[in-house]
Amino acid sequence: MQAHSPAELPPAEQPDLAEQGWRRMHPEGLTGYDALLPVLLVRPGDPGRAEARVETGSHSLNVLGGFHGGYLASIGELVLFLPLFLHGKVSSQGAITVDFTIQFMAGGGAGSPLLVSIELLHETGRMAFLRGVMEQDGRRVAAFTGTMRKLGAAR
């Protein structure tokens, strides 16, 4: 799979979301676990910040009908690098997660999109420290923090 830059991401398929700056991030040719994950819509925020939007469905639920904790953890870890990527600090394959912690705060379910805000807290030459919050319908569902090792600069 080839690394991508933010400029190469296609706009969201829904015109209203594309007008709001959302871009589609789900490279072709994904294999393994990554191929099971949903399509992300992403957009940069202020410097050091990024947002992601994930449509929810039955694939995101546990047997009780709420979000599965593993699903939320997967989304959180997946979007952790977005402030680095969307602001041109690394390529789409330019960082690996060193540690990740998540706190589940409230239930959620299928139907409404999951909105994620991610913030770069501190950056060194090789490391980045980040945190994020997941919301659905204005209600905080989970919060997470993580450390990433940058593998190389964006091309």
Side-chain angles (χ1 to χ4, degrees):
M1 185 174 68
Q2 152 189 18
H4 295 284
S5 72
E8 296 173 316
L9 297 179
E13 293 173 355
Q14 302 94 327
D16 58 325
L17 294 177
E19 288 175 14
Q20 296 171 33
W22 291 104
R23 316 259 321 152
R24 189 173 195 274
M25 185 168 184
H26 198 77
E28 298 297 322
L30 288 177
T31 60
Y33 186 72
D34 289 338
L36 300 174
L37 297 173
V39 171
L40 296 177
L41 296 183
V42 301
R43 66 181 176 188
D46 291 336
R49 295 179 182 266
E51 296 177 307
R53 178 186 169 104
V54 184
E55 296 301 326
T56 60
S58 61
H59 65 280
S60 60
L61 305 179
N62 61 27
V63 296
L64 300 175
F67 282 134
H68 192 287
Y71 175 80
L72 293 176
S74 292
I75 296 302
E77 196 273 339
L78 180 66
V79 303
L80 194 61
F81 86 116
L82 286 176
L84 297 169
F85 172 64
L86 293 176
H87 291 284
K89 296 177 180 235
V90 298
S91 74
S92 61
Q93 297 176 355
I96 57 172
T97 304
V98 174
D99 89 291
F100 179 81
T101 304
I102 189 166
Q103 298 83 39
F104 304 107
M105 298 186 292
S112 298
L114 190 61
L115 300 174
V116 190
S117 300
I118 313 99
E119 173 186 16
L120 175 63
L121 298 174
H122 182 71
E123 180 180 16
T124 68
R126 293 186 179 175
M127 303 296 283
F129 303 87
L130 305 110
R131 70 177 168 198
V133 175
M134 297 180 195
E135 296 183 356
Q136 185 182 45
D137 296 326
R139 180 177 176 189
R140 289 188 174 165
V141 175
F144 57 93
T145 59
T147 306
M148 301 205 85
R149 166 82 160 76
K150 297 183 285 183
L151 300 177
R155 295 179 186 128

